């Protein structure tokens, strides 16, 4: 399955909408896009996983790497996810304690800057 990526600005946040499958084959594209956004000056990124059907450990690694880069730049990364199978992955890996998780993009952007 293909990976779709689209970006928009909402308030002080850059929202990256991700669709499809994030796996060993598609994760490099996601990594490149997140690096591009950071290099372009985005410091508050919301990754919307609402249209993601599958996420593997490579995809998780990309998200963790992006969070580290953004924190070093004084910014933060929030995730939007309301699908139970994906939420279960975050709970099992304890990454639900690392990433701010929100049910909607609006909730993520209204929460203010991510840590």
């Amino acid at each position: 399955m293909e990976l779709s990526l689209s970006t928009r600005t909402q308030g002080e946040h850059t929202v990256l909408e991700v669709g499809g499958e994030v796996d060993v084959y598609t994760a490099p594209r996601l990594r490149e896009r997140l690096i591009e956004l950071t290099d372009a000056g985005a410091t508050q990124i919301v990754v919307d996983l609402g249209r993601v059907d599958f996420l593997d450990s490579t995809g998780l690694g990309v998200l963790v790497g992006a969070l580290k880069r953004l924190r070093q730049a004084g910014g933060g990364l929030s995730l939007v996810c309301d699908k139970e199978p994906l939420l279960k992955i975050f709970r099992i890996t304890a990454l639900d304690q690392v990433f701010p998780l929100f049910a909607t993009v609006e909730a993520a952007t209204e929460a203010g800057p991510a840590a």
Side-chain angles (χ1 to χ4, degrees):
M1 173 170 249
E2 276 297 306
L3 177 72
S4 67
L5 302 171
S6 64
T7 308
R8 71 184 193 315
T9 302
Q10 189 163 326
E12 300 291 317
H13 295 80
T14 300
V15 178
L16 177 60
E17 295 177 357
V18 184
E21 296 183 357
V22 183
D23 58 22
V24 68
Y25 302 106
T26 61
R29 281 188 51 217
L30 177 59
R31 178 183 294 113
E32 289 169 15
R33 186 67 183 126
L34 286 163
I35 290 171
E36 287 171 8
L37 292 172
T38 305
D39 288 349
T43 57
Q44 295 297 322
I45 297 179
V46 174
V47 178
D48 183 355
L49 302 173
R51 294 183 11 245
V52 171
D53 301 315
F54 178 79
L55 178 68
D56 73 2
S57 60
T58 308
L60 290 174
V62 167
L63 295 172
V64 170
L67 177 64
K68 287 180 180 179
R69 275 190 300 281
L70 282 161
R71 283 186 175 167
Q72 289 172 347
L77 180 81
S78 299
L79 302 179
V80 174
C81 181
D82 64 353
K83 292 184 176 181
E84 187 54 38
L86 295 183
L87 289 170
K88 185 175 181 181
I89 293 169
F90 287 104
R91 284 193 297 270
I92 289 170
T93 58
L95 289 174
D96 63 335
Q97 304 299 312
V98 176
F99 290 103
L101 291 166
F102 297 92
T104 66
V105 170
E106 290 72 26
T109 57
E110 290 171 6

